[in-house]
Amino acid sequence: MSIEHKQMHEIPFSVLDLAPIVEGGTPADAFKNMIELAQHTEELDYNRYWMAEHHNMPFIASSATSVLIGHVAENTSRIRVGSGGIMLPNHAPLVIAEQFGTLESLYPGRIDLGLGRAPGTDQMTAQALRRGRRSDGQDFPQLLQELRAYFDPSLATSPTPIRAVPGQGLDIPIWLLGSSGFSAQLSGQLGLPFSFASHFSPNNTMAALDLYRRHFQPSETLEKPHAMLGLNVIAAETDEEAEYLATSLYQQFLNLIRNDEAPLQPPVENMDELWSPHEHAALQQQLGASIIGSKETVKQKLESFIEETKADEIMVTSQIYDHQKRLRSFEIVAEIVNGK
């Protein structure tokens, strides 16, 4: 299958918000910033605004993802709002069908349901979430089948008296999310849109895209593959300022490696004082696709990334400590995309 290469201005740009809790801040502050960012990016014509489900992480406030989707949708007017993603093995599919059926009923035509199979947390917290269900993610295809059948009973393998109200009969776009090949192949086989986590699994990007595109089967949902790639982008007025702002992202991943629970830290002048050469190398592996720099640098790197991956959509995430600098980063990306 030949893959069409689109120019940057031809593809949608979207937002992934981890609702960062910064050092000295609270979840309430994170939610206030979230609404400001959602309204700001809507004005800048970003396509979607997604939030991720994480648990037991003191630097991410979006654990009650469905609640926050409703909050963002209520405080915006046209940007699509959704999950990037709901970790389906953490939940009964019926509950997710009802929650997203409710959201779609409240905000028709604006809700996306992105689904992942990872726990979004550590194993002990996953057990607390899942209670008696011993899911390790391998039953994800069955959970997905059950969930899709609540929206469209014709997909059910056998008749059931259980209905999702609201939910049944609603057309809510379902995306599969992945950081490896499992969901790439599954979403291709089912003819669903696919979103890959290049922002923390860059080395698997091309292999996953190849799997998705090779296994893609046209469906009622999609005639051809649609691949959206998550990408860390930190844009500022100069390369030096962007690199400085990016040290908050580096510290976040460094704390994850060290199992050090901490909010998002302020930027620092010199990361070499904080990480060892081994840790530095590990972070380069995990964050290698990150695009950091001035408008000119970001434009050049974005063009190269899109040319290499043939992405159909880019989902930008920016873990920046200073909220005003974070707003400005998304503004710079929009200026690049619009040729300003």
Side-chain angles (χ1 to χ4, degrees), residues 11-252:
I11 69 174
F13 273 66
S14 294
V15 182
L16 175 63
D17 186 4
L18 300 181
I21 304 171
V22 303
E23 179 75 30
T26 66
D29 296 328
F31 299 147
K32 177 176 177 290
N33 291 341
M34 178 183 69
I35 295 303
E36 284 188 25
L37 180 61
Q39 292 171 341
H40 185 60
T41 50
E42 180 175 69
E43 288 175 10
L44 294 169
D45 288 330
Y46 280 81
N47 190 39
R48 313 174 198 278
Y49 197 97
W50 282 9
M51 283 149 283
E53 177 189 343
H54 291 282
H55 303 277
N56 197 29
M57 292 186 178
F59 53 89
I60 295 177
S62 54
S63 54
T65 318
S66 300
V67 176
L68 293 181
I69 290 170
H71 186 49
V72 170
E74 180 65 26
N75 284 279
T76 52
S77 59
R78 66 181 188 279
I79 195 169
R80 297 193 65 89
V81 190
S83 56
I86 292 291
M87 300 297 114
L88 189 56
N90 291 345
H91 310 277
L94 177 59
V95 171
I96 298 305
E98 291 171 341
Q99 288 178 358
F100 277 77
T102 300
L103 288 166
E104 175 65 21
S105 299
L106 288 168
Y107 310 103
R110 294 183 58 206
I111 302 300
D112 294 326
L113 175 49
L115 298 167
R117 69 185 186 101
T121 187
D122 58 89
Q123 288 305 313
M124 189 175 293
T125 307
Q127 190 173 357
L129 284 163
R130 297 175 183 183
R131 311 305 291 175
R133 295 186 63 251
R134 299 294 180 188
S135 175
D136 60 0
Q138 293 305 309
D139 59 349
F140 180 75
Q142 291 75 37
L143 296 173
L144 175 62
Q145 165 69 24
E146 182 184 343
L147 173 61
R148 295 181 75 203
Y150 285 128
F151 294 124
D152 180 0
S154 71
L155 298 174
T157 54
S158 59
T160 174
I162 302 170
R163 292 178 293 172
V165 182
Q168 184 171 310
L170 296 180
D171 183 19
I172 302 170
I174 290 178
W175 293 66
L176 298 195
L177 279 56
S179 58
S180 61
F182 185 99
S183 293
Q185 184 168 332
L186 181 61
S187 55
Q189 291 167 341
L190 296 174
L192 295 174
F194 176 58
S195 180
F196 187 80
S198 296
H199 57 299
F200 66 80
S201 187
N203 293 338
N204 293 324
T205 300
M206 298 309 296
L209 288 175
D210 180 62
L211 266 177
Y212 172 58
R213 288 162 176 159
R214 276 195 295 113
H215 286 90
F216 186 83
Q217 299 291 324
S219 67
E220 289 187 11
T221 303
L222 277 183
E223 290 183 3
K224 57 184 181 180
H226 187 96
M228 177 165 65
L229 301 181
L231 195 58
N232 293 306
V233 182
I234 296 178
E237 307 309 323
T238 65
D239 289 344
E240 292 75 19
E241 183 188 3
E243 287 291 348
Y244 173 67
L245 296 176
T247 61
S248 295
L249 173 65
Y250 299 152
Q251 291 176 81
Q252 176 186 303

